[in-house]
């Protein structure tokens, strides 16, 4: 065996090791993010229980729920596209997470390979997958739930996009880490949220965010007493478990996106803290508000937050 | 050069036109198998030839003559004016699309025609239409373009008239608008002749250079001429306010016809808009306007911005209209219109900014490249996914006995999985899910709009994109899933398409993913390397643009690395699959597993809510759609009608009255002439 | 592996989602158990909207021939492991409706009952006792009614057939298109 072969073998070994480490990093990152997302959901349940003057479940209840759901055996024999939809639904937010700057927590830098538009479109892979599964399930309630979710999406995307684009107009980039770097980390005066005229865009986008998280008052798509929990009506067992995981991952992604654009979330640590703050604000509103009708919600979203965000955008562009 | 000496005899346009006409002749053959094989060969040969020429010529392959040496096909009209049809790379780029769509649509047509429908007109007229389209694409002279355009419109009208599915007057609407376009173009040509003092040769490339000169002498006349010439192009590309014919025309015909129309035929509109915008730039950028209207008048940005805003609003409106449709054909028609508006918007932004945004030439150059190639690439993406969506619908149309309304369809994917996947991927591409062709192309358009700082337009375009999710879901749920409206016994008689159709579906699926996974390469391939040249020019000018094999990058502004995207996409799906596999399984139960209020399925109980699930939002937006441009046109029509009947009311039934009136008029004219 | 299964049993016991089949007055006793007075969510117990998501079905009232069909369909659509609680005297022995021509006096002839709660009606305290009991049973792996149902399917199906006069579930194999 000559030296070249040895070196080749060694480099192949190193390559393999590198790939292994990278895979591990990706897995650790995804598990961490989903775990934090589930923790947020636990906070939500505890929080709303306390608001309702109850003791509430333990804060780790979502973990228990997910373990239970994943361990169940579904009694459904559906078309295999149903399973495909569920996999796509859970996979979508995971891909989205990989493109967020949060990934530097384990030393990855995939976020430098994608930008805002990619992220906006990756964000719908998950919902679309579950919409497909709901459609395969053939329940009319599922179709109504999807219809409502998509109507809501049309509603909240407009103020959210207008708000985000105001930031793009100011910073001149759609790369997330560059937008974050243009703000200060801990000084609120350096956040886009508290700068004139971006504050208008931020308020509009923040109302849109409430719709994006489908918290009250924009919670029509999952209306258990009205349409039998909508999209989820045919999901039980592992499908529902994967949907909970998807919800957790999406929470991180959506809140993270907002934190990066408006709260100067630069490092993973401060991003996570800001995600917590944003989520507490969102669930505070959720705990005390009722639910709009779908048409009311759509009108509300396309009226006030849109006007505010548009004003913010126009002032940013022309001022 | 030896092997292709016959090129001195045949020009590229002739080869493509003749092969299409050959395919049309093959369409007359009675034997189904022979016909299809011969048509397949001739259309594939045409598509392959277009591809070969486009890539080879620009790359300067030894086996081909130089681009400058290519002979045009010419007809001498007058001393000054020569009609000529010539190959150039934009022609080739669009020709590949048209010939490719022709190939797929013809090959798939058998799966979409009901047994009682006569297919011969389709097999004959579609290649003829393709030939006419190619003639239009190759016209480098306005008069030649006019003739080709009218030929094309006429063949298309014949197709529409024969395959008038719903009998709602779609073909006549089309005929009316084509007529308006033809008259407008003729008037425009005449005015252009006047504006140039009879000196113009009507060459397209020549006009791009001479129109600014004509503008100096006759500014209003030239502008009117250019606008009138543009009307038929805007009609074809369904640019508002000339879009009102499209939904009824596309929606009322047969799915296969609509597939060819919206995938290939409408692209002529994009091509013509592309050529026309350069002429339009020529007239509005003339310094004459500054002296006429004052130094502060920014004619170019204003004109282009109005056009782009119209298109952005139009795409939002059509996308909103699309998801409220009850008929799948109309849904796809509206969707198609929205996508066409995207493309023209990209062109308007790209071409407009080069002259309008002078502050930083690098930015202008980059946005120009992005908009221009975004439009072309989206034309391709739209060609593929709209064709696939219509073809998949066509297969269901045949099997359901001619149904296209959502409340009479449903659950076909259980029986036709491959066809469903073709439709599904088409819809994923329509809503531009990453990794699909639609994303790679729409991304360029968004990037152009954002980098050119058209933020409100970008928001409009993004909202139109969001609205496309709504109609995509209605297409997926209404046709392929949900509950079967015709009962189980009927559904069990439904069969998947033939092996031939499956192969085509798989190829189309492959194309959709290929165009999205390595966009730079595909784009460069179909545009004959001109993208690379453009990017290199941009780089030499200090521009920060990079469109590589799998990378889109505008330095510091944005990046998408499609290689990473593909890998991470796979990783995400694999992790999800891992969780799915590790979790507890499914258990088979002997239960009819449709949602049925806990009862086994029986046809009389089935609930089909496909017509209603966007109900709330439809009720919200409904009042805003009362503002219809079509109603304005109808109002004009009514006024003409009243005027005509008013004139008619003068009729006394006595010829002598008219003679007296005529004599009076003559006397009046003489009196006027004297004084 | 045994530890792993124990962990899963523990998780199952602490996350019981219920489907309330409220045909009778028993439904009235659920809200106090849910709301701030007793707060069943302390134990991870939540009401669910569809059988697909539920772990336990509470039959809280009389069972008639007509409603029994729905109960069976709902039970069959629930993912395993699943439990059934007969709540109040009606599903246990007919209660005050024991001599009606339409009621089914004994639910456990047709479906496996994991837990009985006696009373007419059982109050919220009894409900909470029932839940804690169920949690213990699930944690120890003792609530295996769904396995009984699979094992003795012929027996249950025979009883169902005798009651309705026909097979309740389509068995023609057309489970999907």
């Amino acid at each position: 065996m000559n030296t070249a072969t040895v070196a080749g073998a060694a480099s192949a070994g190193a390559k393999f090791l590198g790939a292994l480490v990278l895979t591990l990093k990706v897995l650790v990152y995804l598990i961490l993010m989903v775990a934090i997302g589930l923790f947020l959901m636990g906070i939500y349940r505890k929080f709303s229980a306390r608001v309702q003057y109850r003791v509430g479940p333990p804060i780790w209840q979502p973990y228990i729920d997910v373990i239970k759901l994943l361990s169940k055996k579904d009694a459904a024999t559906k078309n295999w596209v149903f399973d495909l939809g569920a996999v796509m639904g859970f996979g979508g937010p995971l891909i989205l997470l990989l493109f967020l700057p949060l990934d530097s927590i384990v030393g990855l830098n995939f976020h430098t390979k994608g930008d805002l538009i990619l992220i906006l479109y990756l964000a719908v892979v998950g919902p679309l997958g579950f919409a497909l599964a709901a459609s395969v399930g053939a329940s009319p309630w599922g179709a109504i739930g999807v219809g409502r979710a998509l109507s809501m999406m049309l509603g909240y995307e407009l103020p959210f996009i207008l708000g985000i684009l105001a930031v793009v107009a100011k910073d001149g980039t759609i790369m997330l880490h560059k937008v974050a770097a243009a703000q200060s980390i801990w000084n609120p005066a350096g956040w886009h949220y508290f700068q004139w005229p971006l504050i208008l865009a931020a308020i509009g986008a923040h109302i849109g965010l409430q719709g994006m998280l489908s918290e009250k008052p924009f919670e029509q798509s999952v209306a258990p007493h009205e349409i039998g929990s909508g999209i989820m009506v045919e999901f039980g067992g592992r499908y529902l478990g994967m949907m909970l995981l998807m919800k957790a991952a999406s929470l991180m992604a959506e809140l993270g996106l907002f934190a990066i654009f408006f709260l100067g979330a630069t490092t993973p640590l401060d991003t996570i803290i800001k995600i917590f703050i944003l989520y507490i604000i969102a669930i505070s509103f959720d705990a005390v508000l009722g639910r709009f009708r779908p048409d009311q919600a759509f009108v509300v979203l396309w009226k006030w937050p849109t006007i505010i965000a548009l004003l913010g955008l126009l002032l940013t562009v022309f001022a | 050069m030896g092997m292709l000496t016959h090129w001195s005899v045949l020009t590229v346009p002739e080869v493509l036109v003749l092969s299409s006409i050959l395919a049309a002749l093959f369409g007359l053959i009675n034997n189904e198998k022979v016909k299809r094989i011969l048509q397949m060969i001739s259309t594939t040969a045409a598509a392959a030839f277009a591809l070969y020429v486009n890539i080879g010529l620009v790359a300067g392959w030894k086996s081909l003559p130089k681009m400058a040496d290519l002979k045009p096909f010419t007809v001498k009209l007058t001393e000054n004016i020569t009609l000529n049809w010539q190959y150039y790379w934009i022609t080739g780029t669009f020709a590949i699309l048209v010939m490719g769509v022709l190939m797929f649509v013809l090959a798939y047509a058998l799966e979409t025609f009901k047994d009682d429908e006569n297919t011969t007109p389709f097999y004959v007229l579609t290649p003829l239409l393709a030939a006419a389209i190619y003639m239009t694409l190759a016209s480098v002279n306005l008069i030649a373009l006019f003739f080709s355009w009218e030929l094309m419109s006429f063949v298309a009208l014949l197709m529409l008239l024969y395959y008038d599915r719903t009998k709602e007057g779609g073909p006549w609407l089309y005929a009316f608008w084509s007529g308006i376009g033809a008259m407008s173009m003729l008037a425009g040509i005449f005015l252009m002749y006047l504006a140039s003092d009879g000196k113009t040769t009507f060459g397209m490339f020549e006009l791009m250079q001479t129109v600014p000169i004509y503008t100096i002498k006759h500014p209003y006349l030239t502008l009117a001429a250019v606008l009138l010439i543009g009307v038929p192009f805007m009609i074809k590309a369904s640019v508002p306010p000339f879009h009102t014919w499209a939904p009824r025309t596309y929606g009322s015909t047969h799915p296969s016809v609509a597939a060819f129309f919206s995938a290939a035929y409408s692209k002529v509109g994009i091509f013509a808009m592309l050529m026309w915008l350069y002429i339009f730039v020529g007239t509005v950028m003339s310094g004459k306007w500054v002296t006429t209207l004052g130094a502060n008048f920014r004619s170019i940005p204003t004109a282009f911005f109005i056009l782009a805003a119209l298109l952005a609003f139009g795409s939002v409106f059509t996308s909103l209209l699309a998801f409220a449709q009850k008929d799948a054909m109309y849904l796809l028609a509206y969707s198609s219109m929205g996508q066409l508006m995207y493309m023209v918007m990209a062109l308007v932004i790209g071409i407009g900014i080069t002259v309008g945004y002078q502050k930083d030439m690098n930015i202008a150059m980059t946005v120009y490249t992005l908009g221009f190639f975004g439009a072309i690439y989206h034309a391709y993406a739209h060609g593929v996914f709209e064709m696939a969506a219509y073809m998949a619908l066509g297969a269901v149309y045949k099997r359901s006995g001619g149904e296209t309304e959502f409340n009479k369809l449903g659950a076909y994917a259980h029986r036709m999985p491959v066809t469903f996947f073709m439709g599904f991927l088409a819809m994923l591409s329509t809503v531009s899910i990453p990794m699909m062709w639609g994303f790679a192309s729409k991304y360029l358009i968004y990037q152009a709009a954002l980098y050119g700082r058209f933020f409100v337009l970008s928001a409009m375009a993004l909202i139109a994109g969001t609205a496309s999710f709504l109609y995509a879901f209605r297409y997926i749920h209404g046709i392929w899933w949900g509950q079967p409206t015709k009962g189980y016994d009927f559904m069990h008689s439904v069969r998947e398409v033939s092996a031939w159709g499956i192969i085509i579906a798989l190829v189309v699926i492959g194309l959709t993913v290929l165009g999205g996974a390595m966009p730079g390469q595909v784009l460069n391939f179909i545009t004959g390397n001109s993208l690379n040249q453009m990017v290199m020019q941009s780089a030499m000018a200090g521009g920060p643009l990079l469109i590589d094999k799998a990378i889109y990058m505008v330095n510091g502004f944005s990046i998408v690395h499609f290689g990473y995207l593909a890998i991470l996409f796979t990783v995400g799906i694999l992790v999800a699959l891992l969780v799915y596999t590790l979790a507890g399984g499914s258990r088979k139960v002997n239960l009819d597993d449709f949602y049925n209020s806990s009862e086994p399925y029986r046809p009389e109980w089935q609930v089909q809510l496909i017509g209603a699930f966007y109900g709330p939002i439809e009720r919200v937006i409904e009042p805003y759609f009362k503002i219809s441009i079509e109603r304005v046109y109808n109002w004009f029509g009514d006024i003409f009608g009243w005027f005509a009947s008013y004139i008619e009311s003068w009729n006394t039934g006595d010829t002598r009255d008219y003679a007296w009136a005529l004599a009076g008029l003559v006397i009046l004219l003489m009196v006027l002439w004297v004084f | 592996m045994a530890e792993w299964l124990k962990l899963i049993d523990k998780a199952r016991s602490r996350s019981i989602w219920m489907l309330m089949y409220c045909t009778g007055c028993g439904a009235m006793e659920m809200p106090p158990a849910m709301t701030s007075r007793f707060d069943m969510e302390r134990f991870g117990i939540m009401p669910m909207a569809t059988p697909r998501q539920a772990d336990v079905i509470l039959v809280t009232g009389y069972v008639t021939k007509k409603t029994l069909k729905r109960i069976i369909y709902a039970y069959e659509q629930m993912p395993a492991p699943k439990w059934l609680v007969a709540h109040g005297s009606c599903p246990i022995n007919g209660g005050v409706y024991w001599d009606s021509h339409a009621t089914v006096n004994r639910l456990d002839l047709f479906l496996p009952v994991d837990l009985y709660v006696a009373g007419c009606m059982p109050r919220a305290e009894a409900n909470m006792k029932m839940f804690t009991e169920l949690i213990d049973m699930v944690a120890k792996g003792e609530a295996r009614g769904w396995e009984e149902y699979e094992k003795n399917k012929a027996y249950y199906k025979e009883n169902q057939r005798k009651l309705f006069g026909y097979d309740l579930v389509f068995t023609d194999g057309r489970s999907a298109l």
Side-chain angles (χ1 to χ4, degrees):
Chain A
M1 202 189 278
N2 58 27
T3 47
T5 338
V6 173
S11 79
K15 253 183 198 167
F16 177 73
L17 205 67
L20 200 69
V21 169
L22 195 66
T23 316
L24 275 179
K25 273 183 180 175
V26 166
L27 283 178
V28 166
Y29 168 65
L30 291 179
I31 290 169
L32 194 64
M33 286 302 121
V34 171
I36 297 173
L38 286 173
F39 188 69
L40 285 176
M41 288 159 76
I43 291 180
Y44 168 74
R45 287 182 61 180
K46 196 77 184 170
F47 188 92
S48 58
R50 285 302 165 88
V51 170
Q52 292 162 4
Y53 211 63
R54 290 188 286 121
V55 177
I59 212 149
W60 53 85
Q61 186 64 40
Y63 301 102
I64 301 177
D65 288 349
V66 166
I67 292 172
K68 176 206 76 176
L69 283 170
L70 290 181
S71 78
K72 293 198 83 161
K73 255 168 127 60
D74 202 335
T77 49
K78 291 194 174 67
N79 197 298
W80 60 275
V81 180
F82 188 82
D83 300 327
L84 178 85
V87 170
M88 185 176 150
F90 179 37
L94 295 183
I95 307 161
L96 175 57
L97 278 175
L98 285 170
F99 278 104
L100 280 186
L102 274 167
D103 63 359
S104 51
I105 197 167
V106 289
L108 297 172
N109 66 342
F110 293 135
H111 62 275
T112 55
K113 309 292 181 199
D115 58 20
L116 174 69
I117 299 172
L118 180 70
I119 279 169
L120 284 180
Y121 276 97
L122 276 177
V124 290
V125 175
L128 206 66
F130 277 110
L132 176 68
S135 183
V136 179
S139 164
W141 304 126
I144 292 178
V146 176
R148 285 183 177 199
L150 289 174
S151 308
M152 280 311 301
M153 192 165 102
L154 191 61
Y156 66 68
E157 286 271 287
L158 183 58
F160 192 78
I161 284 172
L162 285 170
I164 291 260
L165 289 189
V167 173
V168 174
K170 178 166 178 295
D171 289 351
T173 178
I174 54 174
M175 306 283 289
L176 265 57
H177 61 284
K178 289 192 179 168
V179 170
Q183 305 167 66
S184 64
I185 299 179
W186 288 119
N187 178 15
W191 295 347
H192 286 145
Y193 205 120
F194 298 113
Q195 289 170 357
W196 180 263
L198 278 176
I199 184 167
L200 294 175
I203 290 169
H206 205 155
I207 299 172
L209 181 73
Q210 191 80 356
M212 199 178 239
L213 299 170
S214 72
E215 303 287 4
K216 286 173 206 140
F218 307 114
E219 186 230 14
Q220 297 79 17
S221 57
V222 195
H225 302 97
E226 202 183 334
I227 53 171
S229 70
I231 299 178
M232 299 188 286
V233 68
E234 288 291 301
F235 293 178
R238 60 175 161 179
Y239 303 108
L240 196 59
M242 284 165 75
M243 196 158 188
L244 276 188
L245 292 174
M246 170 241 182
K247 180 97 202 295
S250 315
L251 266 183
M252 295 304 289
E254 286 156 1
L255 292 166
L257 190 64
F258 190 86
I260 288 161
F261 266 82
F262 291 106
L263 301 179
T266 315
T267 60
L269 184 70
D270 80 280
T271 311
I272 289 167
I273 291 169
K274 282 162 188 168
I275 283 174
F276 269 73
I277 295 167
L278 280 173
Y279 195 60
I280 296 288
I281 294 170
I283 61 179
S284 309
F285 280 101
D286 179 86
V288 294
L289 289 176
R291 180 197 306 148
F292 278 124
R293 281 204 325 254
D295 47 342
Q296 289 171 332
F298 182 73
V299 170
V300 164
L301 282 170
W302 272 38
K303 211 181 264 173
W304 301 114
T306 303
I307 290 171
I308 296 169
L310 185 64
L311 205 62
L313 174 61
L314 292 178
L315 285 175
T316 314
V317 174
F318 294 111
Chain B
M1 271 294 280
M3 73 180 255
L4 273 176
T5 40
H6 62 273
W7 277 55
S8 49
V9 185
L10 274 179
T11 64
V12 184
E14 279 173 72
V15 173
L16 283 176
V17 168
L18 287 179
S19 61
S20 302
I21 291 174
L22 202 64
L25 289 178
F26 289 147
L28 289 169
I29 296 172
N30 241 343
N31 187 327
E32 193 64 41
K33 249 184 194 161
V34 175
K35 169 166 79 183
R36 294 179 73 195
I37 288 169
L38 285 178
Q39 276 202 332
M40 191 70 210
I41 291 169
S42 50
T43 52
T44 313
F49 182 73
L51 208 59
Y52 165 68
V53 169
N54 210 38
I55 295 159
L57 271 186
V58 182
W61 283 352
K62 284 260 159 59
S63 58
L64 289 168
K66 289 227 165 54
M67 181 109 79
D69 298 339
L70 273 186
K71 272 176 56 180
F73 177 80
T74 53
V75 177
K76 203 162 175 65
L77 200 66
T78 66
E79 195 59 39
N80 213 358
I81 301 164
T82 314
L83 308 188
N84 40 11
W85 286 267
Q86 190 176 17
Y87 170 89
Y88 48 105
W89 72 266
I90 299 176
T91 314
T93 298
F94 280 90
I96 297 165
L97 177 62
V98 172
M99 295 302 163
V101 170
L102 175 73
M103 183 175 84
F104 283 120
V105 169
L106 276 188
Y108 203 78
L110 198 69
E111 301 295 346
T112 65
F113 278 97
K114 284 186 292 171
D115 296 335
D116 58 342
E117 280 174 320
N118 186 4
T119 54
T120 313
F122 179 79
Y123 281 120
V124 175
L125 288 175
T126 315
L128 278 185
L129 180 56
I133 290 174
Y134 186 73
M135 276 174 72
T136 314
L137 293 175
S139 309
V140 282
N141 182 292
L142 209 53
I143 311 235
L145 181 75
F146 175 75
F147 284 127
S148 320
W149 193 273
E150 295 318 316
L151 184 66
M152 187 176 77
S153 301
F154 180 68
V155 180
L157 178 63
L158 286 185
M159 276 176 85
L160 286 174
L161 277 175
Y162 195 85
Y163 294 107
D164 189 7
R165 188 174 57 88
T166 55
K167 308 275 186 286
E168 285 173 337
W172 297 114
L173 199 62
Y174 171 81
F176 174 76
W177 278 102
S178 294
I180 295 270
M183 283 190 278
S184 162
M185 195 167 166
L186 212 54
I189 287 173
F190 179 65
L191 288 187
M192 186 62 85
Y193 187 75
L194 290 184
S196 68
D197 299 324
K199 277 185 291 210
T200 182
T201 60
F202 292 109
M204 301 271 275
F205 294 104
E206 188 232 312
L207 276 180
M208 288 173 197
Q209 289 160 4
T210 51
V211 156
I213 301 163
Y214 303 152
T215 309
I216 292 167
K217 200 169 177 195
H218 305 285
Y220 294 102
L221 202 58
T222 318
L223 184 63
V226 170
L227 285 178
L228 282 174
I229 288 170
V231 166
F233 308 154
M234 294 196 203
I235 290 172
K236 198 67 73 203
S238 63
V239 175
F242 304 109
H243 61 281
T244 53
W245 61 279
R248 222 188 296 171
T249 305
Y250 289 145
S252 69
T253 185
H254 185 278
S256 266
V257 178
F260 188 75
F261 270 48
S262 87
Y265 184 36
S266 63
K267 300 301 175 299
V268 190
I270 304 299
F271 162 79
M273 280 306 285
L274 195 159
M275 302 305 285
W276 177 77
L277 278 171
Y278 285 105
I279 302 177
F280 186 57
V281 165
T283 175
V284 289
M285 77 185 284
S286 173
K288 179 72 187 172
W289 289 113
V290 180
T291 49
T292 316
L293 296 168
N296 288 331
F297 182 71
R298 297 162 73 224
S299 60
I300 306 147
T302 312
F304 277 87
F305 190 79
I306 289 170
L307 198 53
L310 260 180
L311 288 157
F313 269 106
S315 64
V316 173
F317 262 58
T318 43
S319 304
L320 289 180
L321 275 169
F323 75 71
Q325 297 307 310
K326 307 281 181 278
D327 186 315
M329 290 291 290
Y330 278 78
L331 184 146
L332 291 179
Y334 276 107
S335 129
S336 186
M337 280 165 67
Q339 304 291 341
L340 287 172
M341 287 176 193
Y342 261 112
M343 290 167 226
V344 185
M345 189 184 83
L347 285 176
V348 169
I349 287 176
I351 296 175
I353 202 166
T354 44
V355 285
Y357 192 78
Q358 304 277 4
K359 269 180 271 177
D360 187 341
M361 231 21 233
N362 285 338
I363 294 179
M365 188 73 190
T366 306
V367 174
Y368 171 68
T369 312
L370 287 171
F372 187 87
F373 285 98
I376 289 182
Y377 204 42
H378 199 52
Y380 264 80
H382 177 251
V384 173
F385 68 65
E386 206 71 40
M387 176 186 76
Y390 268 118
M391 286 191 330
L393 173 62
V396 171
Y397 169 85
K398 177 181 183 177
R399 280 150 188 79
S400 63
E403 303 291 1
T404 55
E405 281 176 26
F406 287 120
N407 58 6
K408 291 173 187 161
L409 296 170
Y412 280 85
H414 291 278
R415 304 294 298 170
M416 307 162 69
V418 180
T419 315
F420 157 69
F421 261 89
M422 182 166 73
F424 181 56
L425 255 75
M427 279 300 138
L428 288 190
S429 190
T430 309
V431 301
S432 59
I433 291 294
M435 294 293 292
M436 299 290 144
W437 201 331
F439 175 76
S441 57
K442 232 186 230 180
Y443 181 86
L444 285 175
I445 297 176
Y446 289 145
Q447 225 179 6
L450 285 171
Y451 199 58
R453 296 184 73 78
F454 296 96
F455 290 108
V456 179
L457 294 190
S458 317
M460 287 279 147
L462 281 162
I463 282 304
T466 308
S468 68
F469 284 99
L470 277 78
Y471 66 68
F473 181 71
R474 174 161 265 178
Y475 177 90
I476 292 167
H477 183 77
I479 299 173
W480 302 105
W481 300 106
Q483 297 184 351
T485 42
K486 299 206 167 185
Y488 281 97
D489 289 329
F490 176 80
M491 290 311 290
H492 280 275
S493 74
V494 171
R495 291 276 166 272
E496 174 66 291
V497 296
S498 62
W500 189 234
I502 286 176
I503 292 169
I504 291 167
L506 292 178
V507 171
V508 171
I509 288 171
L511 279 178
T512 309
V513 177
L514 182 76
M518 34 201 323
Q521 216 153 18
V522 175
L523 183 53
N524 212 10
F525 189 65
I526 53 187
T527 56
N529 204 36
S530 53
L531 172 71
N532 265 1
Q533 293 170 357
M534 196 79 98
V535 170
M536 255 154 66
Q537 276 175 16
S538 165
M540 272 192 284
L545 178 71
L546 173 68
I547 300 178
D548 194 20
K549 262 185 284 189
I551 307 173
Y552 286 169
M553 186 162 83
V554 177
N555 207 5
F557 185 73
S558 66
I559 181 172
V560 170
H561 196 305
F562 285 87
Y564 275 87
L565 176 62
I567 293 167
L568 295 186
F569 205 94
T570 322
V571 167
I573 296 292
L574 278 182
V575 171
L577 201 62
L578 189 73
V579 172
Y580 169 82
T581 325
L582 289 180
S586 302
R587 178 174 59 94
K588 257 205 185 278
V589 291
N590 254 336
L591 184 76
D592 233 37
D593 206 40
F594 283 93
Y595 182 86
N596 40 43
S597 308
S598 301
E599 290 281 356
Y601 168 79
R602 281 181 201 145
E604 64 272 20
W605 295 337
Q606 81 151 335
V607 193
Q608 182 77 4
L609 282 160
I610 184 66
F613 63 75
Y614 292 134
I617 194 172
E618 278 168 27
R619 282 195 292 281
V620 171
I621 58 175
E622 207 180 355
Y624 301 100
F625 285 97
K626 295 225 168 94
I627 313 157
S628 155
I629 294 173
E630 190 160 17
R631 198 165 302 132
V632 176
Y633 293 139
N634 289 343
W635 183 66
F636 269 116
D638 287 347
I639 288 176
F640 275 117
W642 293 331
F643 187 65
S645 46
Y646 177 62
I647 303 246
E648 205 180 1
S649 70
W650 290 357
N651 185 4
T652 54
D654 190 346
T655 327
R656 284 172 294 180
D657 295 346
Y658 295 97
W660 278 116
L662 198 65
L665 191 69
V666 171
I667 291 165
L668 186 71
L669 283 176
M670 282 168 72
V671 169
L672 285 175
W673 185 59
V674 168
F675 294 101
Chain C
M1 196 62 195
E3 276 72 30
W4 179 243
L5 285 179
K6 223 178 250 173
L7 181 75
I8 286 179
D9 271 340
K10 183 79 183 156
R12 283 171 180 167
S13 75
R14 278 299 173 165
S15 163
I16 292 177
W17 293 356
M18 55 182 194
L19 182 70
M20 289 180 289
Y21 200 82
C22 303
T23 48
C25 36
M28 199 47 79
E29 301 300 330
M30 281 300 146
M34 257 181 249
T35 47
S36 47
R37 179 71 182 85
F38 290 103
D39 186 25
M40 60 166 86
E41 206 187 350
R42 277 179 297 161
F43 308 116
I45 301 168
M46 280 203 301
M48 279 291 139
T50 82
R52 296 252 184 250
Q53 302 162 359
D55 304 304
V56 55
I57 178 167
L58 302 182
V59 183
T60 59
Y62 56 85
V63 180
T64 65
K65 272 189 191 177
K66 201 170 176 178
T67 58
L68 180 59
K69 287 182 207 166
R70 273 74 184 171
I71 294 172
I72 293 170
Y73 288 135
Y75 185 77
E76 298 222 350
Q77 286 188 49
M78 283 162 61
K82 53 192 169 183
W83 308 291
L84 192 150
V85 174
H87 183 268
S89 13
C90 292
I92 299 174
N93 57 14
V96 293
Y97 306 102
W98 65 275
D99 56 351
S100 164
H101 66 280
T103 51
V104 174
N105 285 356
R106 281 185 62 193
L107 180 62
D108 53 7
L109 286 178
F110 309 97
L111 285 171
V113 177
D114 290 276
L115 204 60
Y116 301 89
V117 191
C120 185
M121 284 308 293
R123 296 294 309 277
E125 293 89 341
N127 280 340
M128 293 315 290
K129 181 80 178 74
M130 176 266 284
F131 282 128
T132 46
E133 191 76 22
L134 188 64
I135 286 170
D136 283 348
M137 283 169 70
V138 173
K140 286 179 197 147
E142 286 168 4
R144 329 275 313 165
W146 56 283
E147 280 179 354
E148 290 291 309
Y149 188 64
E150 291 298 312
K151 214 184 290 169
N152 304 323
K153 199 138 193 181
Y155 167 74
Y156 288 113
K157 287 286 156 191
E158 183 57 32
N159 284 350
Q160 290 170 12
R161 190 180 303 119
K162 269 186 200 153
L163 182 69
F164 301 125
Y166 58 90
D167 274 342
L168 197 55
V169 173
F170 277 8
T171 48
D172 64 355
R174 302 197 303 192
S175 65
L177 274 170

